[in-house]
Amino acid sequence: MRVKYRSNLPLYLPAHGRRSGLPPDLCYLFRYSPVSWDLPELPNIGGPLESKGSVAYSQQSMAERWGACHGWYGVNGATNMLQVALLSVTSPGDRVLMPRNAHRSILSGCILGQLNPVLFSIPFDQSTGLWGLPSPQQFNEILLTAGDIACVVLLHPTYQGFAGSLTQLIQLAHKRGIIVIVDEAHGTHFSIAPNELPKSALSAGADLVIGSLHKSAGSLGQSAVLWLQHKRVSPISIERSLLWLQTSSPSTLLLASVEASLDYLASRRGYDRLQKALMVGYQSRQDIISAGFPLVLNQDPLRLVLNTAALGISGIEADDFLMKEDLIAELPEPGCLTFCLSMVPNRKIGTKMVPILNKLQRQLSGSPLKPFPIPPIPQITELTLSPQEAWRSPYEIVNLEDAAERIAADIVCPYPPGIPILYPGEKIDRIRASWLQQQHSFWPKQISNQIAVVVT
């Protein structure tokens, strides 16, 4: 496969920005052929589950440097590490509390581990169509309603850079003896700049934290890290899960990428680089707002979220238009368009974006879109069938208008961002079926007008 694609404004992931944001040590490796680094688990190198070798030493020393008790490098992405974390703290039949916007890999983990997801609803902004994060008061009510829970999965920050009151949420869970797993795929850099960015998941007291390093640390795709702190979880249980789920032939290049990105980001030079990137983010935000374009307020300067609904344009239409203008975003949604700045963003991103956005406004803008209907989802949802039972049951394909009162056999999960809006085993009431039809009208390429339902 040959890919020759360049863009003047590539505002999408990976965060290394097509090489400029790679850590220096990794750039040094790339002076040599990547094939020369395609090595097995030689004794002096080892691997993530070996007790000796360079990888073992790196994992332990990096955990200490980042404030964790233990750390493991991953080469199957944060997707795999989330599943490892989930299976390491649960047993078949356990109930797992998770937000409606948990990544789809958590559902796969529930199916693999024969777990029962308990879904809780989160705030929804009708003006943008974006999901938010629960307040401590809302989360406390959820915990009281949920009953006996083995662990809870939280998201920090969201894809769009929203960060809530994570410390308080974790404290509420810990008071009830519940283990907390935090999906911090988009927030690895939070640990490095605590004065400028929200508190990191490790600092907030989470038990297990997963970072996707190509999203928020300048590493290569598929590289991830799993941190463990406290004594609520045994490191042996983590390693058992890794043995089940992660490849027995990890890529040496990806392992080196994990170490290089974590080492550099935690260094003085890495901190200075991040500070410069944050300043570019702040300045770009000011440039765009000053030009009259609405941005959604978030907590991560490296995420610019354009409120296209306020311009009378869907995010999908805006993305199609801007891509032709060589301005490439990361995440189009019905009411917004999210741009991801790299770890070394162009200092003039804002001023370069404004004339292109002006062209977008001239050619496509109209009256602001109508408020998006609030998803008719209960505060707490338990599935009618277990996800593994629904996944394996006979199914048939029906139109959305015929889906009411049926049980979903498959996941309805637009990607990106990989957020399930309907789970296998979940009963589709009439209000939900109608809402899905409305969503299909906004997002026809992402949400089909047909759905798989269990044959009863």
Side-chain angles (χ1 to χ4, degrees):
M1 179 175 67
R2 296 185 179 183
V3 178
K4 293 184 179 180
Y5 190 82
R6 296 184 180 274
S7 169
N8 293 324
L9 290 171
L11 302 184
Y12 52 85
L13 299 174
H16 59 66
R18 299 180 71 84
R19 193 184 190 279
S20 62
L22 287 173
D25 284 351
L26 202 56
C27 290
Y28 177 80
L29 289 184
F30 282 136
R31 294 180 183 179
Y32 306 93
S33 169
V35 177
S36 67
W37 285 94
D38 191 17
L39 301 170
E41 293 179 302
L42 299 172
N44 62 329
I45 297 176
L49 293 176
E50 300 293 329
S51 60
K52 297 180 180 180
S54 300
V55 176
Y57 173 79
S58 177
Q59 287 182 157
Q60 188 55 46
S61 61
M62 208 60 67
E64 294 171 1
R65 191 171 178 184
W66 281 73
C69 297
H70 299 275
W72 293 268
Y73 298 166
V75 299
N76 298 100
T79 288
N80 179 248
M81 289 306 213
L82 283 165
Q83 294 166 349
V84 166
L86 186 63
L87 269 61
S88 69
V89 299
T90 56
S91 300
D94 279 349
R95 300 167 74 244
V96 177
L97 185 63
M98 64 184 72
R100 176 63 64 162
N101 64 336
H103 192 268
R104 62 180 181 177
S105 58
I106 299 295
L107 171 64
S108 300
C110 287
I111 293 174
L112 289 170
Q114 300 180 54
L115 307 173
N116 297 313
V118 180
L119 309 170
F120 66 86
S121 185
I122 50 180
F124 180 79
D125 183 4
Q126 289 188 265
S127 64
T128 61
L130 297 179
W131 300 89
L133 293 166
S135 69
Q137 181 180 357
Q138 291 170 327
F139 190 61
N140 190 48
E141 293 174 358
I142 289 164
L143 290 172
L144 290 171
T145 306
D148 187 25
I149 295 295
C151 69
V152 60
V153 179
L154 297 175
L155 183 64
H156 174 80
T158 68
Y159 212 123
Q160 299 83 8
F162 300 138
S165 306
L166 183 63
T167 301
Q168 292 173 272
L169 303 189
I170 292 172
Q171 289 174 347
L172 288 169
H174 282 169
K175 284 180 181 179
R176 291 167 173 79
I178 301 173
I179 293 170
V180 180
I181 300 170
V182 176
D183 177 356
E184 200 174 42
H186 293 269
T188 305
H189 57 304
F190 282 13
S191 294
I192 305 304
N195 296 325
E196 296 86 355
L197 295 170
K199 185 179 289 188
S200 71
L202 281 174
S203 298
D207 298 288
L208 293 164
V209 180
I210 294 87
S212 181
L213 302 184
H214 81 277
K215 294 184 176 73
S216 51
S219 187
L220 298 178
Q222 280 186 228
S223 59
V225 67
L226 169 58
W227 301 123
L228 165 64
Q229 66 176 343
H230 306 310
K231 296 182 179 179
R232 296 183 183 88
V233 182
S234 166
I236 295 175
S237 66
I238 298 287
E239 292 179 349
R240 283 169 60 90
S241 293
L242 279 167
L243 188 63
W244 296 332
L245 296 177
Q246 188 156 252
T247 176
S248 58
S249 303
S251 164
T252 312
L253 183 58
L254 289 180
L255 293 173
S257 170
V258 173
E259 180 190 58
S261 62
L262 291 173
D263 180 61
Y264 183 70
L265 192 57
S267 70
R268 181 67 200 185
R269 290 174 64 195
Y271 173 80
D272 291 342
R273 174 184 281 188
L274 177 60
Q275 287 293 314
K276 292 177 182 178
L278 295 177
M279 292 305 298
V280 172
Y282 287 126
Q283 184 60 54
S284 300
R285 182 176 296 181
Q286 181 177 335
D287 292 340
I288 294 168
I289 293 175
S290 297
F293 294 100
L295 293 183
V296 178
L297 180 64
N298 62 8
Q299 287 72 51
D300 187 354
L302 301 185
R303 299 290 184 270
L304 302 175
V305 185
L306 180 66
N307 184 354
T308 62
L311 300 174
I313 312 168
S314 80
I316 291 87
E317 291 176 325
D319 186 52
D320 288 341
F321 180 90
L322 294 177
M323 193 171 292
K324 296 173 184 175
E325 299 295 322
D326 212 21
L327 172 55
I328 305 177
E330 167 67 19
L331 173 61
E333 297 176 274
C336 289
L337 190 57
T338 298
F339 302 91
C340 294
L341 276 62
S342 74
M343 301 304 289
V344 188
N346 187 304
R347 289 179 297 175
K348 297 183 179 180
I349 282 178
T351 55
K352 287 186 175 183
M353 288 179 67
V354 166
I356 302 175
L357 294 178
N358 279 326
K359 187 174 182 180
L360 169 73
Q361 187 175 35
R362 287 195 304 269
Q363 296 195 22
L364 295 183
S365 68
S367 300
L369 300 182
K370 294 179 181 179
F372 294 96
I374 298 175
I377 299 171
Q379 183 183 52
I380 294 285
T381 302
E382 295 208 49
L383 306 183
T384 303
L385 292 179
S386 67
Q388 56 269 19
E389 184 180 0
W391 193 269
R392 293 181 173 89
S393 294
Y395 67 90
E396 61 181 341
I397 305 298
V398 300
N399 294 326
L400 285 176
E401 57 264 29
D402 300 320
E405 305 305 322
R406 302 296 297 272
I407 296 174
D410 204 349
I411 190 172
V412 176
C413 181
Y415 190 88
I419 296 173
I421 59 176
L422 192 64
Y423 280 72
E426 189 169 4
K427 189 173 183 179
I428 312 168
D429 55 47
R430 295 187 182 280
I431 297 176
R432 183 84 59 85
S434 176
W435 179 77
L436 284 169
Q437 290 178 65
Q438 291 176 320
Q439 292 299 298
H440 168 71
S441 67
F442 283 117
W443 215 345
K445 293 183 179 179
Q446 295 288 339
I447 298 181
S448 172
N449 63 347
Q450 295 184 318
I451 190 169
V453 295
V454 174
V455 174
T456 55

